Structure formats: C-alpha cells, structure tokens
Amino acid sequence: MDWNHHDAFGTERPICGMIHLPALPGSPGYEGSREAIRTRALEDAATLEAGGVDGIVVENFGDSPFYPDEVPNHTVAEMSALATTITSAVDVPVGVNILRNDAEAALSVAAAAGASFVRVNVHVGAATTDQGIVEGRAHETVRLRDRLEADVAILADVDVKHATPLGEAGLAQTALETAVRGRADGLIISGAGTGQTTSLEDLERVAEALSTVDRDVPIPVFVGSGVTPKSIDDAFAVGADGAIVGTALKEGGETTNPVSRERVEALVEAARTAES
C-alpha cells in the first residue's frame, strides 16, 4: 500500500485527536446506556473537528481489563456501530484502535465503517503487558487487508506504552522491522503510559533509522502520547511528522473527560505555527 500521510490528512503535520470511549456493553465498567456512549462520542468528534484536528482515532479505552488479542464478537459489533456513526458525522479521516491488540477486528471495523486507518499496539515482535504476553501478527493483518481490499493504513506502535518489549533488538531496529518487514504505513512512538511524555531521543532515533529506508513514500513517525502546545515544536524538530493526542485535549487534562475545544484549538495552532 502506497500511503502518503500528507495526502491522507491534507497537511504535512497532522494532528489526530482521540475519542476514548467509555466501557462498552459486556465490559465491567459499562453503565447501561448505548445512547449515552453514542452521544458522548459524537460530541467529542464534533468538538475535535471544530477545533481543527486533521484526523480522529476512536478506541475502546474504557473496556479494561483488556483482552490480550481477540475481543468478543459483541465488542466488534459495538465498535463497528460507533465507528460508522463517527465516520458519517465528520469530514476528517477516522482511525480505529481495538485494545489491547486485536488488529484483525480493528481492520475489519475500519473497512466496514469507511475509516481510513488503524492503530496496532504490537504489530511485530512481542511485549509483556498487564494482559500477559502480547504478540504481533503482522503476517495476518497485512494479508487480511489484501483479502478485504481495504484502503486502510496501518499505523503501528514501536515499543508501545504500558508494555515492555521482549528481546534486545533496540528501538531503532524494532522500528525498521516494523516498517520494512512488518510493512506498516506509519510508526507511533509513545511514552511509558497514557498521557506520559514521549522521549525526544526516541523520536530522533526512529526518524534517523527510517531515513535509511529506500521507499518512494517516506514512512511517517507520529508522537503517540504526552504532546502539549509547548512540546509539539520540539517533537517536530527531532523528526516527528504528526501526533496522536488524547489527554492534552480533554477538559482539565483528564483522559476520560470530554474534549475541550479550547485545548484542541491551542494545540492545533501550536502545530501550525511550529518553526521546525
């Protein structure tokens, strides 16, 4: 797949805002109202788009404790309905992430809902997590996309947050293997946990590693956590091509709160006026 993030998002430095869904039906934290979930998701989507983001990622954030790989059919159904609702309501690209690491479900939901990309936490290799050992299934995910004839990009985390990678390949080598051998369309570099600062050194190492890859369309690097209006310029300066932002866009800086338009506009403005 020849995926150009400039064309996909309509800008050189895309900012993607997060919709952290509350617990879905069948999860321990579910509060008993599909309509409330749908209403909140649409409100967050509208606020993100009005604030100027270039894309939106929807994920089942409230479904902890997460299944390590395959989620139940009812979760796939709920995510399909919500993703379809969101893609129909906004004019920016929408991405799907199904936690913890169900890339097959995310890709299937994205294809059915008309979404543009998926986020895969562990695409190659393996990591120890609070769900146990999570293994990448790039060989299945990429082939499934071909079978579905889905025009869906794969954005893959490298040394994903809330996890410890198995093996000693190192960040740069893992990034190369994710992009080249795993055929990911873009890479995501994050901090240790949700909302935590992403290391500038990590971003720079990955960007430098990818600069050695001979590919007509460059492989973009996205900052996956901890981005703020004050830090976005530094991230771009060391090689980041875009950002996926959640916590910093929420009211009071709390991950589970509604999206704040004021915070979205501040971050988008910082990204657009960054000097690097």
Side-chain angles (χ1 to χ4, degrees):
M1 181 175 181
D2 191 18
W3 186 72
N4 189 321
H5 72 290
H6 294 179
D7 295 338
F9 292 106
T11 182
E12 292 187 355
R13 293 172 170 171
I15 300 297
C16 296
M18 289 293 307
I19 295 179
H20 292 107
L21 295 170
L24 302 177
S27 294
Y30 177 55
E31 296 184 352
S33 175
R34 286 185 174 86
E35 184 58 30
I37 294 172
R38 178 181 178 276
T39 298
R40 167 69 180 275
L42 284 172
E43 289 173 349
D44 281 352
T47 304
L48 287 167
E49 185 172 36
V53 299
D54 307 293
I56 293 172
V57 182
V58 55
E59 74 174 23
N60 57 325
F61 183 82
D63 278 354
S64 61
F66 301 114
Y67 291 89
D69 38 52
E70 296 180 11
V71 300
N73 290 338
H74 59 76
T75 299
V76 179
E78 298 290 347
M79 287 295 292
S80 295
L82 288 164
T84 300
T85 296
I86 293 166
T87 55
S88 299
V90 299
D91 292 323
V92 297
V94 174
V96 177
N97 186 22
I98 297 187
L99 301 169
R100 173 63 161 158
N101 201 53
D102 198 339
E104 178 179 354
L107 185 59
S108 300
V109 168
S116 301
F117 61 98
V118 295
R119 180 176 185 171
V120 181
N121 288 175
V122 182
H123 187 55
V124 304
T128 57
T129 72
D130 54 305
Q131 297 82 34
I133 296 177
V134 175
E135 298 183 24
R137 296 182 176 179
H139 59 292
E140 296 177 355
T141 306
V142 175
R143 286 175 173 82
L144 175 62
R145 179 172 64 179
D146 290 342
R147 292 199 304 275
L148 295 177
E149 298 182 349
D151 188 17
V152 176
I154 297 171
L155 305 188
D157 282 272
V158 179
D159 290 357
V160 67
K161 56 192 174 183
H162 300 291
T164 302
L166 293 176
E168 300 179 356
L171 184 68
Q173 184 61 32
T174 301
L176 285 173
E177 291 180 352
T178 303
V180 178
R181 294 165 66 88
R183 296 180 179 269
D185 302 293
L187 303 185
I188 303 169
I189 311 299
S190 298
T194 301
Q196 295 190 25
T197 302
T198 300
S199 164
L200 295 177
E201 291 77 12
D202 287 351
L203 285 169
E204 188 169 26
R205 283 202 297 272
V206 170
E208 289 178 354
L210 292 180
S211 69
T212 67
V213 177
D214 184 14
R215 184 180 288 187
D216 291 339
V217 177
I219 304 160
V221 179
F222 291 83
V223 189
S225 70
V227 172
T228 68
K230 292 182 178 179
S231 68
I232 190 67
D233 190 25
D234 291 336
F236 289 148
V238 297
D241 300 292
I244 299 174
V245 192
T247 301
L249 303 183
K250 304 299 183 67
E251 294 178 1
E254 294 290 337
T255 307
T256 56
N257 280 353
V259 173
S260 162
R261 178 163 176 173
E262 181 179 357
R263 283 174 170 261
V264 176
E265 290 176 342
L267 183 62
V268 170
E269 176 65 17
R272 299 290 178 267
T273 59
E275 296 181 0
S276 52

